Amino acid sequence: MPGLIQHWLAARWLEGERGRLALALALGRPCRCRDESEESLPSVVRLQEIVDIVRSLPSVCCGSNSIFDQAQTTAANHQKNFVALYKLHTDAAAITESVQNGRSLKLTGERVFQDIFMDMLTRVLPLKKGTTVADRIVKFTAGYTKFITEKNLEERKKNELDEDEDTTSERFLSHLVHFLLKGCTAKDKVVRFRVIQCIADTISHLGEIDEDLYTELRATLLDRLRDKEPTVRTQTVIALSKLSFSEDPSELAEGESTILDTIIDAMAYDTSSEVRRAALVNIPPSPQTLHALLARSRDVDPTIRKLVYSNVLDCNPDKSPASNVGFTHPRALTIAQREMIVRNGLGDREESVRAAARNLLGAWVDVVRADGPKKEEEVKSEGIVEDMVAFLKLFDLTEDTIAEDALSNVLDNHDYWSPITPERAFLARVFVDKCIAKQDNLKLDATLPVVTMMAFRISDAYNALVQQFRNDEAWLEEHAGLDEDERVRREEARMDREFALGELLRLAVNLDYGDEIGRRKMFQLVQNMLSQDVLPEALLARCLDVLRILSPNERDLIRVVVEVVHELRDPSEPEPDAEGGVKGDIDDTETETGSPRRPARVAQLLKPVSEMSREEKERADAVDLRCLALCIGMLERVNGTFEENSTLEGILGELIIPAVKRREMALREKGLISLGLCCLIARRMALSSFQLFLSQVQSAPEVLKTRVLQIIFDILMVHEGAFLGPDSPNGDKIIDFLLQLLEAEEIERVQALLVVGIAKLMLSGLVTDERVLQTLVLVFISPETAGNQELRQCLSYFFPVYAYSSAANQQRMRKIFVPMYERLTKAYHEWDGEEDMVTPAQVALMFVDWTDPIRAKEAAKGLRKDADKDPIHLDFAIDIVKALFSADYDSENFLAGVVATRSQAISAEDDKKALCQMFSKLYLPEEADDDKVRLLKLLLTNLRTRRPPRDTAAKNALIKFDAALSKKYEKQLENFSEDEFRKLEELRELFDFLDDIIPDVDDDDEPPRKGRKRRSLSVTTETTTSAATSGDRSPPPSPRHNKGKAKCVPRRRSRHWVLYRIG
């Protein structure tokens, strides 16, 4: 093959008799010259040079052949082949030949590449219109033209070439255009069509071309506009439309027509509708061409008239302010033009044209609404009336009936229910829901059709959906995997039909079923739809909603669904109509139904499962899944108890229990959901089956685990007293199980579900354990849950709602703060992960906010009584002061005798500072218990004298809060002293704690003797307050005396930062 290619290249290289002789000499073959002497032949050196060049070019030819072969197969590989062909192009351009004794170069490689490219393109020119292979090659040629034009711009910018210097890409494009122009006058009409098609596709990507070439191209295309073949003229119009953007009318000779004028003439007078349509679609839109475009609304071809309204005038009408509107904006048109558009469009004899005109008027209504008044008061007061008034201002109300016709077509809904589209069904359903919400029965009665008519509409929509299923199955069998775009289009059409049917069923729930005949028709229709397995599972719930409205009671609803389930599973039933769907003539006594898949199911279900083939088992499983879906939808709509509906016993034993025992995930999932719904209406069944659900959680995959957890939480919420009540023996075990599951779970979706369930249990008051509340707080602030947005969002909503819902909940939040804060600070200083962690100061402020009684009163909107008298923040302050008495938070190092490092001491002071800064945020009620106020004052005084914070900001915050407390409760603290408080027996333990504290002293002072009691003066005087600040400069805190105290066993830390570990 390479030898043949070399021969062909050499023959193309040297033309004529000299080429034949030169080729023979170059290949070493004898040949006699007929016309020329041996002196006229090239020299031996010259021939050898030619042979060397020829032998270096076969790769260009072979590569080009392969690329064009791939390009004609599919358009998906064009981009890849652009790159490959460009590489061959650049490699060929590097091959040159010295001429004139080396004074110049001959572009040998470029010429060979151009010849090969033109040869490949020439092969598709004789192929008729509609040939896919030729269309792909033409598209590939246009794409490669665009590709090399972009590369040319990059090359010029990179090499900083002058405008006079031409490049390889420019020479190629010039050669291509010259080559194509030669074919414009070919005798074969197909060749002319293909050549003009190539020019039309590539003309937008040519970049800058020579003036002579542009003139020749323009003259040739204008000449082809008079071609006798309509297909050639159509492509010529497309090419001229693209060329018209670069034309400068000032450069034309006097009396010479512009390209735009020529296209307008073709759009008006060409005998072919295809040419006129191409001119209408491709002509550059502008105010100068608007008159010619509007004139096409009276074209003899209905397609062109429709395009005027749907493509030209209704193509993204400009909704910008009136000062900057497009030329197709209705306000930019004159009144005469608007009236002509309405008159010609609404008066057209073709329905498609009238529909396009009505759509245009609807778009104009939207445009004038956007341009109308924007004040909210005006919009609310005027509404649709203002929009209609603005629309009528577009017309002359005194001229004929144009305005009346336009307005009536906008408001006309005579054929609203036929055909039913997703948008129409959605609009009708939302309108009905709005009327019901506003209790506008008059408007509802005037809008809704009668039940019988709606039954026929639903029947037609369902039959259309069944027909769509049948057509899609037939198409898939014939074109499986061939056309992905068509498959997607069919899928979208099917989904649109499903949505429209679902909206009609939702609307049917609100119909007036006082008409007994209509009620019976609708009941039979819905029952027959449920009995067919062709009905999409997503529409089962909609049908059951309608059936529940039509059924006199729940028992009748259950009976109907059980009959449908038995009909689907029982092979003894007669076979229905094989065509599927519901007959349009719904009768009062009988409705013929059927399913296209039912015959394959009916004959095989009598066999035992062990004797079934694989296809039969799959069919049986599909039927069981369908029946379980029906059972789930039915049980979700039942409010009575299981014992009141004995019909459910058969379904439970025959369908639900066997499905729970199956290994197939889909069947077991639906079986567990059905069993869980049964447990919601059967208390004894819930008690006996609860352990089954708990066992399924630990080993189930993610999808099944989420379902089972939802069932568990639903059972706990419904049967509250049986599991989490005060008399339940397993309440603590259930809580421990949920907490352990939350600790061990790693899947974010399951974590979020667990948190949501536990939060619901706490909001309902079923769980009051402070461990659970502390766990949720630690989970919320844990850096390991930073990426779980669902969990964080749930808890960020839960904590304020839980705390503000009752005073008891706020007290629980207060009680968990100190132990939670100690664990948080340790974890915060040990954390070295990548995620940022919430600081202890931020957590402290959150707790202040959650326990604020005033915030709770505002959130409760008057339901919380006497919130301003709630002393919760006094209790909170007492807890904080007690926590501040600790020398540091590293109790493990202290008990082990390890001296804290400077960084640990600084960390402890930062934690104390965060606690001290909480005092300024606390709310002090107007009225408070005397003992509580005096106790807080006593603790503050001892804290300032024995363990004052070393940080200045913390110390100032403490002093400020002490002063605020003394000022707020001055009368209650009057004549109060520590000696009187020591006489109270209930405070003996507190004073023992205070007396055991060793005060902070300077390094030079000798610390006081252990156990020595310190007596203070009255804590209400200013002298005491000022004396408490005398020891500001104190040394690092001394270890706390632990005489008589039990040792604390150090906690074992986990490698991972798990804040919500309990125990």
Side-chain angles (χ1 to χ4, degrees):
M1 179 62 68
L4 296 178
I5 295 174
Q6 292 177 9
H7 298 172
W8 179 82
L9 289 171
R12 297 280 299 216
W13 180 253
L14 295 174
E15 301 174 355
E17 188 66 19
R18 295 180 61 214
R20 187 176 64 84
L21 295 176
L23 177 61
L25 291 175
L27 298 178
R29 297 180 182 177
C31 183
R32 182 177 297 275
C33 179
R34 295 195 298 261
D35 303 325
E36 302 181 56
S37 62
E38 293 184 0
E39 288 76 6
S40 63
L41 293 177
S43 65
V44 177
V45 177
R46 170 65 174 156
L47 291 175
Q48 186 62 41
E49 182 181 358
I50 294 173
V51 172
D52 293 339
I53 294 175
V54 169
R55 287 176 178 175
S56 64
L57 292 175
S59 60
V60 178
C61 185
C62 294
S64 301
N65 290 342
S66 175
I67 290 172
F68 275 87
D69 183 67
Q70 295 178 21
Q72 71 178 353
T73 305
T74 176
N77 57 20
H78 280 189
Q79 187 63 34
K80 177 192 71 173
N81 286 319
F82 292 158
V83 178
L85 187 61
Y86 183 74
K87 186 177 184 305
L88 290 178
H89 195 171
T90 53
D91 292 342
I95 301 174
T96 58
E97 177 187 359
S98 299
V99 295
Q100 296 180 357
N101 296 325
R103 289 192 299 270
S104 62
L105 294 177
K106 187 175 183 181
L107 304 177
T108 306
E110 282 189 23
R111 179 181 175 185
V112 172
F113 179 85
Q114 293 171 2
D115 292 342
I116 294 173
F117 190 97
M118 303 311 159
D119 181 74
M120 296 299 170
L121 182 60
T122 306
R123 297 169 187 264
V124 301
L125 296 182
L127 300 182
K128 294 183 178 179
K129 179 182 178 182
T131 306
T132 308
V133 175
D135 293 336
R136 291 195 185 111
I137 294 298
V138 172
K139 182 179 180 181
F140 178 78
T141 302
Y144 184 68
T145 302
K146 179 181 179 182
F147 184 82
I148 64 173
T149 302
E150 295 172 353
K151 290 293 184 180
N152 179 55
L153 294 177
E154 296 178 3
E155 181 182 354
R156 280 189 171 278
K157 184 176 181 181
K158 180 179 179 181
N159 299 329
E160 299 180 356
L161 300 177
D162 296 335
E163 294 181 359
D164 298 333
E165 298 180 34
D166 56 352
T167 61
T168 302
S169 301
E170 294 173 352
R171 290 190 292 270
F172 172 81
L173 294 176
S174 177
H175 183 80
L176 175 64
V177 174
H178 280 106
F179 173 79
L180 293 174
L181 290 178
K182 294 178 182 178
C184 292
T185 57
K187 295 182 178 180
D188 191 349
K189 61 181 180 181
V190 178
V191 174
R192 296 199 306 274
F193 164 75
R194 287 295 180 188
V195 168
I196 300 297
Q197 184 186 20
C198 289
I199 295 176
D201 290 346
T202 60
I203 198 171
S204 300
H205 314 302
L206 293 178
E208 296 182 1
I209 59 177
D210 296 337
E211 185 68 22
D212 296 337
L213 181 60
Y214 172 82
T215 304
E216 183 181 1
L217 177 62
R218 181 180 183 277
T220 304
L221 291 177
L222 290 176
D223 181 66
R224 285 303 95 201
L225 200 55
R226 296 186 294 271
D227 196 283
K228 63 179 181 181
E229 295 298 328
T231 56
V232 177
R233 298 200 304 272
T234 301
Q235 294 299 323
T236 304
V237 166
I238 297 174
L240 286 173
S241 300
K242 297 177 180 179
L243 192 63
S244 63
F245 290 96
S246 60
E247 185 182 48
D248 188 0
S250 61
E251 298 179 356
L252 299 178
E254 185 178 356
E256 185 178 3
S257 299
T258 63
I259 295 178
L260 194 59
D261 294 337
T262 307
I263 297 175
I264 292 175
D265 291 342
M267 182 175 61
Y269 304 114
D270 198 287
T271 57
S272 173
S273 61
E274 183 180 0
V275 177
R276 298 197 305 273
R277 182 164 59 249
L280 179 68
V281 173
N282 292 279
I283 190 173
S286 64
Q288 291 74 23
T289 60
L290 179 60
H291 179 74
L293 293 173
L294 294 180
R296 291 303 91 209
S297 61
R298 302 296 292 172
D299 196 278
V300 295
D301 185 65
T303 304
I304 296 178
R305 300 198 302 271
K306 178 182 177 182
L307 284 174
V308 173
Y309 295 93
S310 61
N311 190 277
V312 177
L313 296 175
D314 196 22
C315 184
N316 299 320
D318 196 336
K319 298 182 182 180
S320 56
S323 59
N324 186 24
V325 296
F327 73 96
T328 59
H329 194 284
R331 297 192 186 278
L333 301 172
T334 63
I335 293 181
Q337 288 174 334
R338 291 194 289 263
E339 290 179 352
M340 182 185 70
I341 291 171
V342 174
R343 183 187 302 108
N344 294 345
L346 298 182
D348 199 282
R349 60 180 177 270
E350 292 290 334
E351 174 59 27
S352 61
V353 180
R354 294 197 300 270
R358 286 194 293 268
N359 293 336
L360 175 64
L361 293 178
W364 282 7
V365 172
D366 295 336
V367 169
V368 296
R369 179 189 296 119
D371 292 341
K374 297 294 188 298
K375 294 183 180 180
E376 184 177 357
E377 296 80 10
E378 296 183 9
V379 173
K380 290 184 178 179
S381 61
E382 299 295 339
I384 190 65
V385 177
E386 185 65 24
D387 297 337
M388 292 296 102
V389 171
F391 175 72
L392 291 175
K393 289 181 179 179
L394 299 175
F395 306 95
D396 186 0
L397 301 182
T398 62
E399 182 70 19
D400 297 333
T401 59
I402 300 299
E404 182 179 350
D405 294 340
L407 185 61
S408 62
N409 276 273
V410 170
L411 300 178
D412 186 18
N413 61 350
H414 178 71
D415 298 329
Y416 183 85
W417 299 100
S418 179
I420 287 295
T421 62
E423 295 77 14
R424 289 170 180 261
F426 178 80
L427 177 60
R429 195 267 305 167
V430 172
F431 177 78
V432 170
D433 291 346
K434 194 68 174 180
C435 290
I436 293 175
K438 291 186 175 182
Q439 298 182 354
D440 193 349
N441 296 325
L442 294 178
K443 186 178 295 185
L444 193 64
D445 295 338
T447 304
L448 282 178
V450 296
V451 178
T452 304
M453 173 190 169
M454 182 56 65
F456 281 106
R457 296 301 181 191
I458 295 176
S459 176
D460 293 341
Y462 177 69
N463 290 334
L465 179 60
V466 173
Q467 183 64 35
Q468 181 79 30
F469 276 122
R470 190 182 302 116
N471 294 339
D472 291 348
E473 290 178 358
W475 183 86
L476 285 175
E477 292 178 357
E478 184 177 355
H479 306 87
L482 295 181
D483 193 344
E484 183 67 18
D485 295 339
E486 178 65 17
R487 187 195 65 78
V488 172
R489 189 193 65 79
R490 288 177 174 271
E491 181 72 15
E492 292 178 352
R494 181 188 60 79
M495 293 176 63
D496 288 344
R497 292 187 184 277
E498 287 187 22
F499 179 81
L501 180 58
E503 293 298 301
L504 290 179
L505 291 172
R506 293 179 65 182
L507 188 148
V509 173
N510 299 314
L511 294 177
D512 182 10
Y513 291 101
D515 180 14
E516 181 62 22
I517 296 178
R519 191 197 69 82
R520 288 161 56 187
K521 289 181 181 295
M522 185 68 73
F523 186 88
Q524 292 172 357
L525 171 65
V526 176
Q527 183 179 8
N528 293 329
M529 289 170 60
L530 287 173
S531 63
Q532 299 184 21
D533 54 3
V534 72
L535 180 69
E537 187 173 334
L539 298 180
L540 291 179
R542 306 298 181 204
C543 291
L544 289 172
D545 288 335
V546 178
L547 197 62
R548 181 176 59 175
I549 297 297
L550 297 174
S551 301
N553 49 54
E554 288 184 353
R555 183 173 299 178
D556 192 66
L557 172 65
I558 295 173
R559 178 188 58 79
V560 173
V561 175
V562 171
E563 289 178 356
V564 172
V565 171
H566 286 161
E567 181 181 351
L568 290 173
R569 303 184 80 237
D570 189 2
S572 62
E573 295 290 336
E575 295 185 7
D577 180 18
E579 292 298 322
V582 180
K583 291 292 184 66
D585 51 344
I586 305 174
D587 188 71
D588 293 344
T589 59
E590 182 181 29
T591 303
E592 299 181 11
T593 62
S595 172
R597 299 182 179 179
R598 189 165 298 178
R601 171 181 60 84
V602 171
Q604 302 295 333
L605 289 179
L606 282 175
K607 293 182 181 181
V609 178
S610 59
E611 299 180 5
M612 290 184 181
S613 63
R614 180 178 179 181
E615 291 76 9
E616 293 170 345
K617 290 181 180 179
E618 291 177 355
R619 179 58 188 168
D621 291 344
V623 173
D624 287 343
L625 286 173
R626 178 75 171 192
C627 295
L628 287 170
L630 277 171
C631 292
I632 292 173
M634 173 195 64
L635 292 170
E636 288 174 344
R637 289 158 179 80
V638 172
N639 296 319
T641 62
F642 192 87
E643 292 75 12
E644 294 175 354
N645 301 284
S646 57
T647 313
L648 294 174
E649 292 285 352
I651 294 293
L652 179 65
E654 297 176 4
L655 180 63
I656 298 177
I657 299 299
V660 174
K661 299 179 180 179
R662 295 289 295 272
R663 295 183 178 180
E664 292 80 1
M665 184 61 64
L667 284 169
R668 186 149 59 100
E669 177 185 351
K670 289 187 178 295
L672 287 171
I673 295 174
S674 302
L675 180 60
L677 291 172
C678 290
C679 291
L680 296 182
I681 60 176
R683 186 184 183 91
R684 288 181 296 177
M685 187 185 302
L687 291 171
S688 60
S689 303
F690 192 74
Q691 187 60 39
L692 169 65
F693 294 118
L694 293 181
S695 62
Q696 291 288 329
V697 173
Q698 299 176 344
S699 59
E702 178 182 356
V703 177
L704 186 59
K705 184 180 291 187
T706 55
R707 293 291 189 180
V708 175
L709 283 175
Q710 291 172 348
I711 295 170
I712 290 174
F713 285 117
D714 288 344
I715 293 176
L716 292 177
M717 293 288 291
V718 173
H719 305 292
E720 48 188 40
F723 296 97
L724 298 175
D727 300 331
S728 175
N730 298 322
D732 293 338
K733 295 181 180 179
I734 295 174
I735 293 176
D736 291 339
F737 173 80
L738 294 176
L739 293 179
Q740 292 174 4
L741 192 62
L742 179 59
E743 175 186 348
E745 188 57 52
E746 297 181 356
I747 303 175
E748 291 186 353
R749 176 71 180 90
V750 180
Q751 280 182 349
L753 181 59
L754 281 166
V755 168
V756 170
I758 295 174
K760 289 181 178 179
L761 293 177
M762 296 205 69
L763 277 176
S764 61
L766 297 177
V767 175
T768 58
D769 195 336
E770 294 177 3
R771 295 179 306 152
V772 181
L773 184 59
Q774 185 177 354
T775 300
L776 292 181
V777 174
L778 295 174
V779 168
F780 179 56
I781 62 179
S782 170
E784 294 182 352
T785 62
N788 195 339
Q789 297 300 324
E790 184 178 358
L791 181 147
R792 288 291 183 95
Q793 185 177 7
C794 168
L795 290 179
S796 63
Y797 173 80
F798 162 74
F799 287 119
V801 173
Y802 176 78
Y804 299 154
S805 60
S806 69
N809 291 345
Q810 283 189 317
Q811 288 291 345
R812 293 191 188 96
M813 299 293 290
R814 176 190 66 80
K815 292 178 181 178
I816 69 169
F817 172 73
V818 173
M820 186 278 305
Y821 188 80
E822 293 178 354
R823 296 171 60 185
L824 171 64
T825 53
K826 293 179 183 179
Y828 179 77
H829 299 308
E830 295 174 359
W831 174 250
D832 57 355
E834 296 180 357
E835 295 289 342
D836 293 335
M837 184 177 171
V838 181
T839 63
Q842 291 174 321
V843 176
L845 293 178
M846 284 192 296
F847 269 84
V848 172
D849 184 74
W850 293 338
T851 56
D852 190 348
I854 302 303
R855 293 290 301 274
K857 180 180 179 180
E858 295 173 355
K861 296 181 180 179
L863 300 178
R864 184 87 174 264
K865 302 298 183 181
D866 299 330
D868 52 348
K869 299 179 181 180
D870 193 343
I872 182 173
H873 272 186
L874 290 177
D875 297 330
F876 205 175
I878 293 173
D879 295 339
I880 296 171
V881 174
K882 289 181 179 179
L884 287 170
F885 274 110
S886 175
D888 56 69
Y889 289 99
D890 199 353
S891 58
E892 295 181 13
N893 287 343
F894 166 70
L895 292 172
V898 179
V899 179
T901 63
R902 178 176 179 85
S903 61
Q904 291 173 335
I906 293 175
S907 300
E909 286 302 319
D910 291 340
D911 300 335
K912 287 186 177 183
K913 178 181 176 181
L915 292 177
C916 291
Q917 289 175 343
M918 295 175 63
F919 287 126
S920 62
K921 306 294 183 181
L922 298 179
Y923 169 74
L924 300 178
E926 296 294 335
E927 301 178 7
D929 182 66
D930 294 348
D931 294 338
K932 191 169 295 186
V933 173
R934 292 171 180 174
L935 176 60
L936 177 57
K937 181 64 177 180
L938 177 66
L939 291 172
L940 286 172
T941 304
N942 280 272
L943 178 63
R944 293 177 58 187
T945 56
R946 304 189 182 202
R947 288 292 169 83
R950 287 173 292 182
D951 183 80
T952 303
K955 187 184 302 182
N956 293 336
L958 185 61
I959 295 172
K960 185 176 180 181
F961 179 72
D962 191 5
L965 184 70
S966 301
K967 183 178 179 180
K968 186 82 172 180
Y969 306 106
E970 182 178 0
K971 293 183 179 180
Q972 294 167 278
L973 294 175
E974 188 177 1
N975 298 325
F976 166 68
S977 65
E978 183 178 333
D979 294 335
E980 295 178 0
F981 241 48
R982 284 183 178 276
K983 298 177 182 180
L984 299 177
E985 185 67 26
E986 59 269 18
L987 298 180
R988 181 183 300 275
E989 184 178 355
L990 173 63
F991 280 100
D992 290 341
F993 166 76
L994 294 176
D995 293 337
D996 288 339
I997 296 176
I998 301 175
D1000 292 341
V1001 294
D1002 295 334
D1003 294 338
D1004 299 335
D1005 297 337
E1006 182 182 354
R1009 189 174 56 188
K1010 298 180 180 180
R1012 180 182 177 183
K1013 297 182 178 179
R1014 295 170 57 97
R1015 297 183 181 270
S1016 61
L1017 301 176
S1018 175
V1019 296
T1020 61
T1021 62
E1022 292 296 331
T1023 306
T1024 306
T1025 304
S1026 60
T1029 63
S1030 59
D1032 288 348
R1033 294 185 179 181
S1034 56
S1038 304
R1040 187 169 52 185
H1041 184 61
N1042 287 279
K1043 182 179 179 181
K1045 303 294 181 180
K1047 285 189 176 182
C1048 178
V1049 179
R1051 297 176 183 172
R1052 192 174 68 188
R1053 291 193 179 98
S1054 173
R1055 286 187 178 180
H1056 301 286
W1057 197 94
V1058 183
L1059 274 178
Y1060 45 90
R1061 184 181 298 277
I1062 300 300

